[in-house]
Amino acid sequence: MQITGEIRYIGATKQISDSFKARELHIKTEEQFSQVLNVQFAQDKVSLLDGMQPGQKVKIDINLKGREVVKVGEPTRVFNTIVGWRIEKTT
């Protein structure tokens, strides 16, 4: 899948654990009812955001990831993440 739009924010790289690092980007989509979405770049993909700036128009290739969290006596919760794996500037 792909998202196109304008970068609104690029976060710093966060070391989540000894073996996992991530960086967030907010993008305002280009569609009739535009959305602001949070896209996560992880591991070796965090460096893809180096040199990118808020205000730039980009195209991002993404995967959608989800996981269930089951706790006894509570409804099952589902968490979703938009994961970026390629980004390129557009005009």
Side-chain angles (χ1 to χ4, degrees):
M1 297 178 70
Q2 288 185 338
I3 300 172
T4 58
E6 180 182 314
I7 296 173
R8 291 300 183 102
Y9 165 81
I10 300 173
T13 300
K14 294 181 183 176
Q15 192 72 41
I16 308 301
S17 70
D18 289 340
S19 61
F20 185 77
K21 62 183 176 181
R23 194 169 180 188
E24 293 183 348
L25 173 142
H26 299 171
I27 183 170
K28 183 174 182 183
T29 62
E30 295 178 340
E31 53 195 4
Q32 183 178 359
F33 300 105
S34 64
Q35 305 289 316
V36 177
L37 302 173
N38 182 62
V39 181
Q40 180 185 79
F41 288 77
Q43 301 301 80
D44 62 329
K45 303 300 181 191
V46 298
S47 64
L48 295 177
L49 301 182
D50 294 345
M52 296 288 174
Q53 299 291 324
Q56 286 181 318
K57 302 233 184 221
V58 294
K59 176 174 65 173
I60 304 173
D61 290 307
I62 63 163
N63 291 329
L64 299 176
K65 296 200 173 193
R67 64 182 178 90
E68 290 183 323
V69 176
V70 180
K71 292 185 180 179
V72 176
E74 295 183 18
T76 299
R77 299 185 69 191
V78 176
F79 292 93
N80 298 311
T81 306
I82 302 171
V83 179
W85 54 274
R86 181 177 17 204
I87 185 170
E88 61 184 63
K89 296 175 189 174
T90 62
T91 55

